[in-house]
Amino acid sequence: MSGVPGRVAVIGGGRMGAGIAQVFLAAGARVAVVEAGGEAAEAARERVAGGLEQAAARGKLDGDPGEVLGRLTLLETPADLGRDTDLVIEAVPERADLKAEVLGAAAAAAGPAAVLATNTSSLSVAELAAAVERPSRFLGMHFFNPVPASKLVELVVAPETDPVLVDAARGWVGALGKTGIVVRDSPGFASSRLGVLLGLEAIRMLEEGVADAEAIDTAMELGYRHPMGPLRSTDLVGLDVRLAIAEYLHRTLGERFAPPQLLRDKVAAGDLGRKTGRGFHTYD
């Protein structure tokens, strides 16, 4: 399948959801962002608008940012989704109960033809599929932060996911200018399982005084050609998000994913990374 679905809905208008909405808008889709509350909805619109302006300034957007933004609508609840919605992607916080709730509501509102996807970075796609009426039309579409710049989307296949749907999703991802990799539903999939393990070890090294944060990140950036060191990456993702994922992987995969005390302490202190101006590094 070429191109992207004509009508896409994104549930959650935070950094990830706004980024997902932006790339589908830029690819020509009409996009609805579901975000409860006037202030939160307006903030979501501003995130998308700002992202489109930045893309245009870099020559990465076909068309006028204002005209592209004109294809965006805001909805208050998943129940407001239209029956003509082709693809729904949930991008709410990493809580299985919350994701199941919004996916169930979206499945009921969007109708039987809609494809539903979760942007979870670690939770079981098979377990979330239990919340939707047609699990054959459900899969994981794990985008990466920041969405517009990232080239990867993990397509996570649960046991009941229709293989034809997986092929279609690969086509959509390609139309976004990204590469899709297909992975079996497993705790942490491929990317989070490896990325979190590296990040946790970097935090332990900092905790043990092996080197400071700048040195640890530079070692991986220059020595292994990582575009961003593991501590800077944790700051970007959010220390609270990384802690939640680590706790889940600790429960499901064992002690090697046990969160270091330093990570717990920083989260408790409110040092959550870029979004708060301080994490393992400090930001203006």
Side-chain angles (χ1 to χ4, degrees):
M1 179 179 289
S2 62
V4 296
R7 294 185 179 275
V8 177
V10 181
I11 304 176
R15 184 181 178 94
M16 287 298 299
I20 295 169
Q22 177 187 327
V23 296
F24 275 100
L25 284 168
R30 292 188 173 277
V31 178
V33 171
V34 180
E35 186 61 80
E39 290 186 7
E42 186 55 36
R45 181 189 292 276
E46 290 177 2
R47 290 186 192 99
V48 177
L52 290 170
E53 292 284 355
Q54 291 175 13
R58 295 193 301 268
K60 300 293 187 181
L61 181 69
D62 292 331
D64 176 76
E67 292 180 1
V68 175
L69 187 65
R71 296 197 297 273
L72 175 70
T73 58
L74 298 173
L75 303 174
E76 289 192 0
T77 71
D80 295 329
L81 293 175
R83 304 290 285 185
D84 57 352
T85 304
D86 299 307
L87 170 64
V88 181
I89 303 173
E90 71 77 14
V92 300
E94 286 286 281
R95 283 177 37 208
D97 59 338
L98 177 59
K99 289 181 180 292
E101 178 183 348
V102 300
L103 284 167
V115 173
L116 277 81
T118 173
N119 184 54
T120 183
S121 58
S122 62
L123 299 176
S124 169
V125 173
E127 291 180 11
L128 291 175
V132 303
E133 295 178 5
R134 294 170 181 82
S136 64
R137 298 188 64 76
F138 179 71
L139 79 165
M141 293 184 70
H142 177 206
F143 289 79
F144 289 76
N145 190 15
V147 176
S150 175
K151 295 298 184 182
L152 178 67
V153 179
E154 245 182 338
L155 299 174
V156 185
V157 180
E160 294 187 64
T161 304
D162 188 339
V164 174
L165 173 57
V166 178
D167 290 339
R170 293 183 85 161
W172 302 335
V173 169
L176 296 175
K178 303 183 185 300
T179 298
I181 61 169
V182 177
V183 301
R184 181 175 61 83
D185 186 29
S186 176
F189 318 135
S191 61
S192 291
R193 189 161 170 172
L194 289 170
V196 169
L197 195 61
L198 177 61
L200 294 179
E201 187 59 27
I203 297 168
R204 290 189 190 97
M205 290 170 63
L206 183 63
E207 192 173 53
E208 294 167 5
V210 173
D212 63 19
E214 187 66 33
I216 292 169
D217 279 338
T218 301
M220 299 310 296
E221 291 164 3
L222 300 184
Y224 287 82
R225 299 185 181 181
H226 289 198
M228 183 182 297
L231 298 175
R232 287 193 182 91
S233 177
T234 299
D235 282 350
L236 178 62
V237 170
L239 276 69
D240 53 336
V241 175
R242 180 134 291 179
L243 175 59
I245 295 171
E247 288 177 330
Y248 172 74
L249 295 178
H250 184 206
R251 292 194 301 272
T252 55
L253 295 176
E255 283 302 310
R256 64 191 186 276
F257 287 98
Q261 188 60 44
L262 177 59
L263 177 59
R264 295 188 183 279
D265 291 345
K266 281 189 170 290
V267 171
D271 295 339
L272 305 183
R274 287 192 180 185
K275 59 189 172 186
T276 60
R278 181 186 296 273
F280 295 107
H281 299 275
T282 302
Y283 304 88
D284 294 332

